[in-house]
Amino acid sequence: MGVGDDDAGRADGPPDSDLAMEQGPDELDRSLPGTLQPLTRPGTPRALLVSPSLAADRRWMGRAFERALEARSLDEVPVGAVLVQHDRLVAEAFNRTRSGPDPTAHAEVEVLRRGAAALGDWRLDGCTLYVTLEPCAQCAGSIVLSRIRRVVYAAPDPKAGWVGSLGNLLQDRRLNHRVEVTRGVLEDGSADLLRGFFRERR
């Protein structure tokens, strides 16, 4: 997760975008718009086209956002995460670094621990992780170790993100596991939540 008290400036950084961007394991240097599938017939205006996968991504990211709101209510940095397998909820969590107190208790690490316990396996094969902020180096490393298939994140983290901002640990060709990445799903709401949280503490 990677955001902390000293990272309040990051809340001014995320660009405004509602369009999810997808990046496969072998596309390290470019991002492509999420695929759009017509709901009706060919020739439907682009504004009316919605990808079924994008609809599911928004639904699960909305649940992660609810966990972020729960974190804020406990005076934790508002980041939430949800783990899904075959479109079924496996686990959900939010940042707990302050209440722990535990510097490693980022939302992603918490949800991976809960997911492994729920499935009875450290390998989280076929799972997708939804998180409201770009994972930091610690969380990206944990995601690779857990063999997550796909990560979807909302807001970028230009100061600490390791899924495209400072580097891309999830898709490093030198590692024995690479992860599909989709970014920008419900970005604006997540970025606004973080901005407001840190603004209140200045």
Side-chain angles (χ1 to χ4, degrees), residues 67-84:
R67 301 289 73 75
L69 291 174
E70 188 175 352
R72 186 184 66 176
S73 72
L74 298 174
D75 202 34
E76 292 279 4
V77 176
V79 177
V82 168
L83 189 68
V84 174

Side-chain angles (χ1 to χ4, degrees), residues 85-101:
Q85 186 181 60
H86 309 310
D87 204 37
R88 290 189 174 185
L89 179 68
V90 174
E92 53 191 335
F94 54 83
N95 195 42
R96 291 181 179 272
T97 55
R98 296 184 178 188
S99 57

